[in-house]
Amino acid sequence: MKEIHDYQSDIASIRSVMERSVKFLSLSGLSGVLAGIYALVGASSVYYLIYYPYSPFGFRFYYVNEQAIVVKLMLIAATVLILSVVTAFVMSQRKAKRMGTSIWNKTSKELLLQLCIPLATGGLLILILVSRGYFGIVAPACLIFYGLALINASAFTVREIRYLGFSEILIGLIAALLPGYGLIFWALGFGVLHIVYGSVMHYRYDS
Amino acid sequence: MKNPFEQLDRVLEHRVRLQIMSVLVANDSYDFNSLKEILNVTDGNLASNLKALEKEKYLSVSKSFVDRKPNTKYKATEKGRNAFKKHLDALEALLKTQR
């Protein structure tokens, strides 16, 4: 006959197994903080490329339309993106090892798939619009589609990702209302928000 | 009131079987290797408990090949879901009597 505390630990194990079987919990919070720092470094280098010596808060009478500058901007954005993805992968792998699981499992595949659908849609839409000269769409659309991707994927990982998604959408919509300040909102959404939510996740889950 | 001990499912009193059913109730389907990783059990242990649950018709098995490697997927049946739910209710009732 089982003892009463055996039944109590049965229930505890059901809860833990259910959560671990659905959610990818090895996501590293610290890698979010680092991604935010990369984004801020990227945004400041864009500032020096385009605005300097004018303040980024001042209203601009010109916008980015030179081919050479657009290529440089895309290179900086791609570098930030690749560095962030690699960092997230390496640090989450280390965390997964500490937790005794793997980084490539059913939950992480589901998480990536749900993340990539809105992200790929948004990315292609932005490229199409940019090729037609709608440069003003870039910052708000990046933020909004990234936010949608996070909310879509949040069922498969920690709940902070959902709130991060809502914050990104909010900042994206404000960026759409205030054209000309794309860089500021881009830095806020991809830099500051990642640092804030990354730290929260780090203190809650990385140990 | 009925004795909650009698409401417990004998098959699900076993920890690994209960955990297998937890995973299958929370997910559409789960494959052998993913189950092994989550539950942290040996191949033999997992296989024999899956067999026991299959015998009770608590889960259904489908075999296929992914990259030429065999891939066995498990799904909870309606009977399995009901049994799991009943067992949880019984556990709940049991713990309530202890407070």
Side-chain angles (χ1 to χ4, degrees), chain A residues 168-180:
Chain A
E168 299 283 0
I169 290 177
L170 187 69
I171 290 197
L173 289 175
I174 299 173
L177 281 174
L178 299 170

Side-chain angles (χ1 to χ4, degrees), chain A residues 110-119 121 144-157 161-163 165-166 169:
Chain A
E110 197 63 44
L111 177 68
L112 271 185
L113 177 72
Q114 298 304 330
L115 199 61
C116 282
I117 296 168
L119 228 44
T121 312
I144 289 170
F145 278 98
Y146 180 55
L148 289 172
L150 290 177
I151 292 172
N152 200 40
S154 64
F156 301 96
T157 187
I161 294 298
R162 193 175 176 80
Y163 305 133
F166 283 121
I169 290 177

Side-chain angles (χ1 to χ4, degrees), chain A residues 52-134:
Chain A
Y52 190 76
Y54 304 103
S55 156
F57 296 99
F59 187 78
R60 286 180 305 152
F61 293 99
Y62 60 95
Y63 54 94
V64 184
N65 52 5
E66 284 170 60
Q67 192 85 38
I69 288 190
V70 171
V71 170
K72 275 187 191 165
L73 287 183
M74 286 190 162
L75 277 179
I76 292 173
T79 311
V80 168
L81 178 67
I82 292 168
L83 269 180
S84 306
V85 170
V86 170
T87 306
F89 181 82
V90 170
M91 298 192 68
S92 296
Q93 192 166 39
R94 279 167 53 190
K95 189 173 170 188
K97 202 171 256 178
R98 269 205 313 276
M99 290 170 71
T101 68
S102 64
I103 189 169
W104 194 236
N105 58 26
K106 208 177 145 67
T107 56
S108 65
K109 283 179 203 166
E110 197 63 44
L111 177 68
L112 271 185
L113 177 72
Q114 298 304 330
L115 199 61
C116 282
I117 296 168
L119 228 44
T121 312
L124 289 174
L125 180 70
I126 289 164
L127 286 179
I128 293 167
L129 290 174
V130 164
S131 75
R132 292 204 184 154
Y134 296 107

